[in-house]
Amino acid sequence: RRNIVTSCRAVVLPRFGGPEVLQLRDGVAVPELKRNEVLVRARAVSVNPLDCRMRGGYGRSLFEPLLPVILGRDVSGEVAAAGSSVSSLHVGQEVFGALHPTALRGTYTDHVVLSEDQLTLKPESISHVEASAIPFAALTAWRALRSRARIKQGQHILIIGGGGAVGFSAIQLAVAVGCHVSATCSAESIDRILKAGAEQAVDFTVEDYESSIKGYFDAVLDTIGVLETEKISINLLKRGGCYMTLQGEAASFSDRYGLAAGLATSAAVLLKRQIQYRLSHGIEYFWTYMRTDSEGLEEIRRLSGEGKLRIPIEKTFPITNVSEAHKAKDKRTICGKVVLEID
């Protein structure tokens, strides 16, 4: 059905640049709902590293011709209206969810449009602020570990960068499956990672930390994705294991060579590396990205409700201070998750 809300407040990105380019505007149009879409009155949205990178020009080959765009991927709020074919959600229910990385109309707005399969009911045991920090990071981790590596109980999993939102989500998802989990992280994250169920947490700032990581692994999720971490990860995998990095090069190649040529180049580079590592190490090699997954989102909802999946919130800002939130993330003065609250 058509929602009576036709305009809203939204943080708009009119051009690429620093945090100062973000503009909070009134009267931004709310699109008419498609049959499978839901309008959410947002109460909290989180700031992801992807948002800051996009603001600075990452993905410009896709987004520059379409400026201005609205950033943001996570949201928690209440259903304000639903399309005619939506059956699982109803007006007034509290929900949370996440958009695909390439969505043009993001969540930095008080009324967000998502498809039905991008949302699930928010557990009553967590707040909107807590819920908004979870879905994009957790679905990214789910995509890697469950959809790509198909992890199983008893396997040994290594998370490179376990202190970040995706890495910390991955630890909790793997522990919930019954895996033995090791992680690299900064010193301040070690206690938190061990409390989340990891059996080993190694400070990556320690010289020669590779020798401190014990064992060989069935799967590695590398959230850092530089040459050093890739080399270490590959050498710590068992034959038949799976290496996955979040730092795929499709967007960077597209920004450099144009969308069509960039995607073709990135596909060729990925195939070359897959063949190389399959022959040299007997492992599978993947670039992994977040994808909408209703099964994964339902499992994330269940684990969050049971207290088995949490992402710590370091600081909240009102959405009117979105530039300050981005400045804090850019300067890395805040190491954990930042959330924008919407009144």
Side-chain angles (χ1 to χ4, degrees), residues 103-122:
L104 300 178
R105 190 183 193 277
T107 60
Y108 287 10
T109 170
D110 54 23
H111 284 83
V112 184
V113 177
L114 306 94
S115 61
E116 182 178 13
D117 62 352
Q118 293 174 325
L119 289 165
T120 190
L121 295 175
K122 180 184 76 66

Side-chain angles (χ1 to χ4, degrees), residues 61-82:
S61 59
L62 174 63
F63 292 105
E64 190 164 35
L66 303 169
L67 292 175
V69 297
I70 299 172
L71 299 178
R73 293 297 171 261
D74 298 291
V75 65
S76 184
E78 301 98 31
V79 175

Side-chain angles (χ1 to χ4, degrees), residues 3-63:
N3 180 48
I4 59 173
V5 178
T6 58
S7 65
C8 64
R9 287 185 308 164
V11 175
V12 171
L13 179 71
R15 65 186 186 280
F16 300 121
E20 71 282 353
V21 303
L22 296 171
Q23 299 177 1
L24 181 63
R25 295 181 182 176
D26 293 318
V28 176
V30 176
E32 187 167 344
L33 293 181
K34 298 176 183 176
R35 296 177 67 250
N36 68 326
E37 289 182 333
V38 177
L39 184 70
V40 175
R41 171 58 170 99
R43 299 299 177 184
V45 301
S46 78
V47 177
N48 288 289
L50 177 63
D51 302 338
C52 297
R53 294 179 70 191
M54 289 173 59
R55 188 207 69 228
Y58 178 75
R60 68 170 61 243
S61 59
L62 174 63
F63 292 105

Side-chain angles (χ1 to χ4, degrees), residues 243 283-284 291:
Y243 170 82
I283 64 159
E284 299 298 321
R291 292 289 186 273

Side-chain angles (χ1 to χ4, degrees), residues 11 18-20 22 45-49 51-53 55 71 108 314-341:
V11 175
E20 71 282 353
L22 296 171
V45 301
S46 78
V47 177
N48 288 289
D51 302 338
C52 297
R53 294 179 70 191
R55 188 207 69 228
L71 299 178
Y108 287 10
E314 297 295 334
K315 191 165 184 179
T316 61
F317 292 82
I319 198 169
T320 52
N321 288 356
V322 62
S323 293
E324 294 303 313
H326 271 240
K327 285 178 185 177
K329 290 299 290 183
D330 282 353
K331 294 177 181 177
R332 303 195 176 186
T333 56
I334 298 174
C335 59
K337 200 76 170 176
V338 171
V339 171
L340 303 173
E341 294 189 88

